[in-house]
Amino acid sequence: MLNYTIRRLLFAIPVLLFISFIIFLILDLAPSDPTGNLPLTIPPEVREKIRQSLGLGEPMYWRYLMWCKQFFINEPLNIWDQWMGTCSFNCEDRLRVISYVTRSPVVDLIVERLPQTLWVVGMSYVVGILIAIPVGVISAYRQYSIFDQAGTFVSMVGYSVPPFFSGVLVIVIFSVQLGWFPSIYDTTLKVTDWASFKMQLRQMVLPVMVLALQTTAQISRFMRASMLDNLNMDYVRTARAKGMKERTVLLVHVLRNSLIPVVTVIALAVPSIFGGAIITEQVFKVNGIGQLLIIGIQGGDAPLVQTLTFIFAVLIVLFNLIADILYGILDPRIRYD
Amino acid sequence: MKLKATLLGAAAALALAPMAAEAGRGDSGHLNILYWQAASILNPYLSGGTKDIDASALVLEPLARYDENGNMVPWLAESIPTVENGGVSEDLTSITWKLKEGLVWSDGTPVTSADVVFTANYCMDESGGCQQLAGFADVSSVEALDERTIKISFDKPKPFPYSAFVGSTMPILQQAQFKDCVGANAPNCTEQNFGPIGTGPFVVDEFKANDTISMSANPNYRDADKPSFASLTFKGGGDAASAARAVLETGEFDYAWNLQVDPTVLAEMAKGGKGEVISAFGSAVERLMVNMTNPDPALGDKRSTLEGGPHPFLTDPAVRRALSLAIDRALLAEVGYGAAGKPTCNVVPAPAIYVSTANDECLTQDIAKANQILDEAGWMPGPDGIRQKDGVRLSILYQTSTNAVRQDTQALVKDWWRQIGVETELKNIDAAVFFGGDQSSPDTFQKFYADIEMYTNLFDGTDPEAYMGSWKCSEIPSPANNWLGSNMPRYCNPEYDALVEKLAVTAALEERAEIVKQMNDMLMQDGAMIPLIHRGSVSARANSLQGVKLNVWDSQMWNVADWSRAE
């Protein structure tokens, strides 16, 4: 298993380098421009100077290599220095990946936004899973019951209603009409005591609700299908024939076996938590990673988009590997070596 | 910091207790401002975006600015220099500003003329990529005459010398803070760009780029009673509709900016009773640019350039006039803009002194007349109902940026043009591409590979000189100048160029206004542009927020020091 993991990790390096180059090419060839969103009162000659000052006058391969150097060498060195409080390899002159729009290091922007994204999107994922698994189990065990029908209906709604609709709907109901929860997420709120913790919970309720609906819909369907597969297996009949309690049959034998594919699905979707939720973040003004990405794209902020997309690629490659390894651990029949 | 500000506010309140009529600093508590486009940076010299300039205006201030009526008012300067008071030299080649006495930065150090000179050099540095460089056009030197006096010299007479350091796009930076940020270092000064030290009513406590800014009252602000708010949050994100909702329906925010929302939706929200929609009109006009050159793809590199030859039918004045007459501008304004738009027939719709009335024919739609004009010009309907003459069909490619209101306008215009026998193909392009200057993209508004294109343009401040200069022959975008130029219609008229020259040497305001009107009429009557809508700014304020004066000539935050909370 260890050999396998190391082999996969080594193989990931050229894959990721290739991905970074492709991302760079796509961004560079796309007809988007960092001065495109500036007011028209700024004359064209000044725009050209701005472009030059952003380094857009350099040849393409040079800009790619610069990004590689900044991202793979300078940024890790910077993290090291921050941790250790040192200043290695003349840190004063070290160029970091700088956003075109904010003129600040991209990595700092991402770090600043991670908390709210992890709180909201991560929490919705946890809530979604916690609801989806029991729903899936009961739906399968009582197939075609009213509960199953209701579960199917809710999942279909979750699948088909986009967050730009459900988000606005819950705002109109819970913020405008009832006034229970804020419609705007306060990113400056610091949880220091019980009151601010309650405030944090209140402002998370609506976005988490909208996102969890989608997660629940997907995972509960997987769970239900997987349970149904297993419920008809011979080993279940054997277990029942041996006189086991129904509870033991269901929760120990069937559930554990059914979870194997579901765990893989859950692991594979973890990178999307870090990707944030572009639409839901916009609706509730959570201003996390998803919002950062979308304004980066709109503003033609190539270094920002490049860095973010590349980090997603790393996470996806990594969690694919984790899913594969988890699969091997959960199912002893599977061996990679 | 917040505590400190509150204490100071309390102290100020105590000190002022005997004359309780005036509210003291910090009495109004916390202010919530919502800009659905989040601020990215607090340095207007590195970002010309309105959101960034407005956020900076809370902290940084210019020498003079425009009030809500478009009049120039001294801000950090003692008075507005003019030829009469000797501030502007007789030959119009220099202007001398004098700072108010006793000005201090929010860190307590004095503001001196050296800061102003530094700011000028900061922006004029070649490699800095300063976005307000146009404000320093023709400036040959900026020097400090004494601690409080600054002389700006021009290399030719400047009849309107009020561009540098006037308006919120060009505030004064603190030399001590920015001295290591000049030129190529400018982008690397994250700390300075995110937290500039200013003279304005607020100081930055925390800046989260593209998200939220927290500020508190400037303890050293020059008016001891202001600002009335002790702290504020400048939140960004979301979209215009949700921003309107937060002020008008849920009441979570006190002020929301740029609410370009479907007028019926906005009216419905305003019934929430928590706030009020406010609007004001500046110089912005949504217009159709008419391509005077031939955009035929068969021309290859000569497409949409003067070398490619004139347009097959848009050079015919009758066609341009008919196209304009067929449009119901009042309906376009009602459908797309509501309180934020009114019909116009001029490219210079404001200030009032510059507005011409010679083109008002287009205010009323007249399809019958448009048809008649085309008939008389010899454009006869072909078998498919599309007018043609000598084998040229009136078929138009009409492009604009992607935006719901613009697509509605396109659809309406297409239908009216169909009624006069003109075929229209619609195209919309993502704004970042359309307005982006990417040389390799065929879809930029400069390349104009279409017959008609639509967008909004305006001028900074109240003087249209630079703006009117956009339609000189030399401003025509072409491969030779890397498509850099603002004369999109490829309009070239020696008489117009002569007026541009004349405007540049005329100082008296009335005469300038006359010339501008003449230029406006020339552009309109030659049909280089078909103006549609005079666009206003729409914002919303909470009912409890007092003192807001919506200003379209400067930043909307221009008088935030005077804002307060109603009891």
Side-chain angles (χ1 to χ4, degrees):
Chain A
M1 195 69 116
L2 187 68
N3 267 338
Y4 170 79
T5 313
I6 293 170
R7 208 167 60 228
R8 281 280 297 268
L9 281 175
L10 286 177
F11 186 67
I13 294 172
V15 169
L16 286 172
L17 272 176
F18 182 69
I19 293 176
S20 77
F21 185 63
I22 296 291
I23 298 172
F24 181 84
L25 272 188
I26 293 176
L27 286 176
D28 199 70
L29 297 175
S32 171
D33 187 275
T35 63
N37 282 343
L38 297 179
L40 291 178
T41 45
I42 294 179
E45 310 82 65
V46 176
R47 281 165 199 263
E48 191 52 37
K49 282 209 171 130
I50 296 168
R51 266 182 228 120
Q52 298 296 336
S53 78
L54 293 174
L56 284 170
E58 310 283 350
M60 192 162 87
Y61 71 90
W62 176 253
R63 280 181 284 134
Y64 176 66
L65 290 178
M66 276 305 284
W67 179 83
C68 285
K69 181 181 170 228
Q70 288 167 356
F71 187 81
F72 294 115
I73 301 172
N74 292 0
E75 289 294 347
L77 275 177
N78 192 62
I79 293 174
W80 171 260
D81 280 354
Q82 271 182 353
W83 273 352
M84 295 295 157
T86 54
C87 178
S88 46
F89 307 103
N90 49 9
C91 63
E92 298 294 317
D93 300 330
R94 192 186 300 144
L95 269 184
R96 304 181 59 188
V97 186
I98 300 277
S99 150
Y100 286 164
V101 176
T102 67
R103 311 288 181 110
S104 67
V106 167
V107 174
D108 293 357
L109 289 176
I110 298 173
V111 169
E112 189 176 273
R113 273 148 188 274
L114 262 182
Q116 54 250 43
T117 290
L118 290 185
W119 266 105
V120 172
V121 187
M123 184 60 81
S124 75
Y125 207 60
V126 172
V127 170
I129 292 168
L130 288 181
I131 298 174
I133 290 181
V135 167
V137 170
I138 300 172
S139 291
Y141 190 64
R142 303 230 180 276
Q143 200 184 3
Y144 304 131
S145 66
I146 293 177
F147 185 89
D148 184 26
Q149 305 285 9
T152 308
F153 175 74
V154 172
S155 330
M156 284 307 139
V157 170
Y159 258 121
S160 48
V161 175
F164 58 79
F165 178 78
S166 52
V168 174
L169 187 72
V170 296
I171 285 181
V172 168
I173 297 175
F174 294 104
S175 298
V176 178
Q177 302 293 335
L178 298 172
W180 290 354
F181 304 111
S183 71
I184 292 173
Y185 190 93
D186 178 6
T187 49
T188 55
L189 184 74
K190 290 189 180 63
V191 179
T192 50
D193 52 8
W194 180 241
S196 57
F197 180 70
K198 270 203 309 200
M199 191 60 220
Q200 174 69 18
L201 280 187
R202 278 187 63 215
Q203 67 176 357
M204 276 170 55
V205 169
L206 294 184
V208 167
M209 186 154 82
V210 167
L211 286 169
L213 178 67
Q214 293 182 309
T215 326
T216 310
Q218 287 167 15
I219 295 175
S220 70
R221 297 315 285 171
F222 270 113
M223 192 66 221
R224 179 178 179 273
S226 175
M227 283 291 284
L228 282 177
D229 281 348
N230 278 292
L231 275 171
N232 297 326
M233 290 286 202
D234 287 343
Y235 75 85
V236 179
R237 197 181 313 141
T238 312
R240 282 188 179 133
K242 283 164 83 180
M244 280 181 180
K245 273 188 270 174
E246 197 57 17
R247 199 184 147 80
T248 319
V249 173
L250 191 67
L251 294 186
V252 177
H253 293 264
V254 183
L255 179 61
R256 283 182 67 175
N257 280 307
S258 312
L259 272 177
I260 296 172
V262 177
V263 166
T264 325
V265 169
I266 293 175
L268 282 178
V270 167
S272 68
I273 297 179
F274 290 87
I278 292 177
I279 296 168
T280 315
E281 284 187 6
Q282 284 279 38
V283 171
F284 294 97
K285 296 159 204 75
V286 177
N287 295 349
I289 304 281
Q291 189 250 10
L292 187 66
L293 178 65
I294 195 75
I295 43 181
I297 294 171
Q298 285 166 345
D301 195 347
L304 176 64
V305 180
Q306 162 94 19
T307 308
L308 264 180
T309 339
F310 183 69
I311 292 175
F312 297 159
V314 173
L315 288 172
I316 289 169
V317 169
L318 203 66
F319 275 89
N320 263 299
L321 175 63
I322 291 175
D324 284 351
I325 294 171
L326 265 182
Y327 207 71
I329 293 172
L330 290 175
D331 191 343
R333 285 170 302 181
I334 293 166
R335 278 288 162 266
Y336 293 111
D337 294 319
Chain B
M1 195 65 216
K2 256 180 201 159
L3 181 69
K4 192 178 164 197
T6 322
L7 285 177
L8 274 166
L14 274 178
L16 292 166
M19 33 179 210
E22 278 286 294
R25 178 177 295 165
D27 281 1
S28 293
H30 189 77
L31 172 66
N32 283 309
I33 300 172
L34 184 57
Y35 267 52
W36 53 272
Q37 289 181 8
S40 312
I41 189 166
L42 287 180
N43 183 346
Y45 295 103
L46 292 182
S47 172
T50 313
K51 61 201 173 74
D52 302 321
I53 288 171
D54 282 4
S56 319
L58 296 162
V59 178
L60 299 169
E61 295 177 310
L63 292 178
R65 66 182 353 153
Y66 297 97
D67 68 8
E68 78 276 20
N69 300 317
N71 301 318
M72 214 183 303
V73 286
W75 210 256
L76 293 184
E78 268 183 352
S79 59
I80 303 289
T82 58
V83 179
E84 287 75 47
N85 67 19
V88 178
S89 66
E90 287 289 337
D91 59 357
L92 308 176
T93 55
S94 72
I95 180 169
T96 308
W97 293 92
K98 193 159 180 134
L99 289 168
K100 277 181 182 160
E101 213 173 333
L103 283 178
V104 285
W105 296 103
S106 58
D107 62 2
T109 56
V111 181
T112 68
S113 50
D115 292 310
V116 182
V117 174
F118 169 79
T119 308
N121 294 333
Y122 173 82
C123 185
M124 290 195 286
D125 191 282
E126 272 300 310
S127 50
C130 175
Q131 306 206 352
Q132 309 301 345
L133 202 55
F136 290 104
D138 305 323
V139 170
S140 59
S141 74
V142 179
E143 55 198 317
L145 297 186
D146 63 43
E147 279 287 284
R148 282 166 52 214
T149 319
I150 306 101
K151 182 178 172 196
I152 303 175
S153 311
F154 305 99
D155 44 21
K156 61 180 185 192
K158 266 297 241 206
F160 190 86
Y162 312 104
S163 59
F165 305 120
V166 178
S168 52
T169 53
M170 307 186 76
I172 314 295
L173 299 176
Q174 191 194 37
Q175 179 175 21
Q177 190 190 19
F178 277 88
K179 63 179 185 296
D180 295 329
C181 300
V182 184
N185 284 328
N188 304 335
C189 289
T190 310
E191 203 183 307
Q192 286 85 343
N193 294 333
F194 281 5
I197 293 172
T199 51
F202 291 93
V203 290
V204 184
D205 294 335
E206 189 187 13
F207 183 86
K208 291 185 161 191
N210 293 336
D211 180 14
T212 312
I213 314 166
S214 308
M215 296 190 186
S216 54
N218 174 0
N220 290 314
Y221 190 60
R222 54 188 175 278
D223 187 335
D225 293 340
K226 291 174 182 172
S228 181
F229 285 97
S231 56
L232 70 79
T233 303
F234 194 93
K235 170 88 179 175
D239 57 283
S242 65
R245 190 179 302 115
V247 172
L248 301 170
E249 287 194 313
T250 68
E252 290 165 86
F253 276 73
D254 298 310
Y255 189 84
W257 154 90
N258 192 11
L259 304 178
Q260 223 202 72
V261 184
D262 186 319
T264 51
V265 174
L266 200 59
E268 195 56 41
M269 283 182 185
K271 287 184 190 153
K274 297 240 164 66
E276 182 196 15
V277 177
I278 49 180
S279 63
F281 288 85
S283 61
V285 172
E286 178 91 354
R287 81 286 300 279
L288 300 178
M289 291 290 189
V290 178
N291 195 344
M292 298 288 194
T293 58
N294 195 346
D296 185 355
L299 291 169
D301 286 349
K302 294 205 168 72
R303 233 182 141 177
S304 286
T305 63
L306 289 181
E307 295 80 51
H311 195 278
F313 57 86
L314 284 174
T315 38
D316 181 346
V319 175
R320 299 194 301 257
R321 184 155 166 240
L323 289 178
S324 176
L325 266 180
I327 297 169
D328 185 349
R329 291 168 171 78
L331 186 64
L332 287 182
E334 190 190 320
V335 170
Y337 300 89
K342 46 192 183 191
T344 183
C345 294
N346 293 307
V347 71
V348 183
I353 178 170
Y354 297 110
V355 181
S356 161
T357 49
N359 314 298
D360 290 350
E361 174 195 58
C362 81
L363 284 177
T364 33
Q365 182 192 32
D366 195 340
I367 296 218
K369 191 167 172 194
N371 269 314
Q372 189 196 339
I373 292 169
L374 288 174
D375 285 340
E376 283 166 7
W379 294 94
M380 287 302 164
D384 52 356
I386 305 303
R387 290 178 186 271
Q388 49 190 342
K389 184 163 95 176
D390 311 328
V392 178
R393 291 172 80 242
L394 291 185
S395 172
I396 287 175
L397 176 61
Y398 172 11
Q399 69 180 16
T400 189
S401 68
T402 310
N403 166 323
V405 174
R406 291 209 165 115
Q407 269 73 75
D408 282 350
T409 305
Q410 275 187 315
L412 285 166
V413 169
K414 177 178 176 164
D415 184 56
W416 290 320
W417 286 350
R418 188 190 49 76
Q419 294 177 35
I420 59 167
V422 175
E423 179 186 62
T424 315
E425 187 192 335
L426 303 181
K427 179 175 178 183
N428 65 72
I429 302 156
D430 183 75
V433 177
F434 187 58
F435 297 116
D438 191 339
Q439 305 280 328
S440 59
S441 166
D443 289 326
T444 63
F445 74 135
Q446 287 107 336
K447 284 200 177 165
F448 201 172
Y449 288 167
D451 304 295
I452 300 267
E453 66 183 1
M454 176 171 73
Y455 60 89
T456 290
N457 203 349
L458 71 166
F459 48 93
D460 270 337
T462 55
D463 182 67
E465 183 181 331
Y467 182 59
M468 298 315 279
S470 308
W471 297 288
K472 287 189 294 193
C473 298
S474 57
E475 281 290 322
I476 295 178
S478 70
N481 60 11
N482 288 328
W483 301 100
L484 299 176
S486 43
N487 188 349
M488 303 312 161
R490 281 86 167 125
Y491 176 74
C492 189
N493 182 346
E495 283 175 52
Y496 187 87
D497 283 16
L499 284 177
V500 174
E501 301 286 314
K502 194 172 160 198
L503 185 63
V505 293
T506 310
L509 188 61
E510 287 73 26
E511 280 176 58
R512 288 174 71 79
E514 240 0 271
I515 301 174
V516 169
K517 275 190 204 174
Q518 228 178 320
M519 294 166 94
N520 172 71
D521 294 349
M522 202 179 265
L523 289 169
M524 295 303 100
Q525 279 149 24
D526 287 347
M529 275 169 266
I530 302 177
L532 300 176
I533 308 290
H534 181 192
R535 285 179 59 180
S537 298
V538 178
S539 295
R541 67 168 183 93
N543 288 331
S544 64
L545 186 63
Q546 285 179 329
V548 177
K549 287 181 185 161
L550 185 55
N551 188 339
V552 286
W553 308 108
D554 206 289
S555 162
Q556 295 197 4
M557 297 294 128
W558 74 292
N559 72 337
V560 69
D562 301 334
W563 292 12
S564 64
R565 180 82 65 202
E567 291 304 316

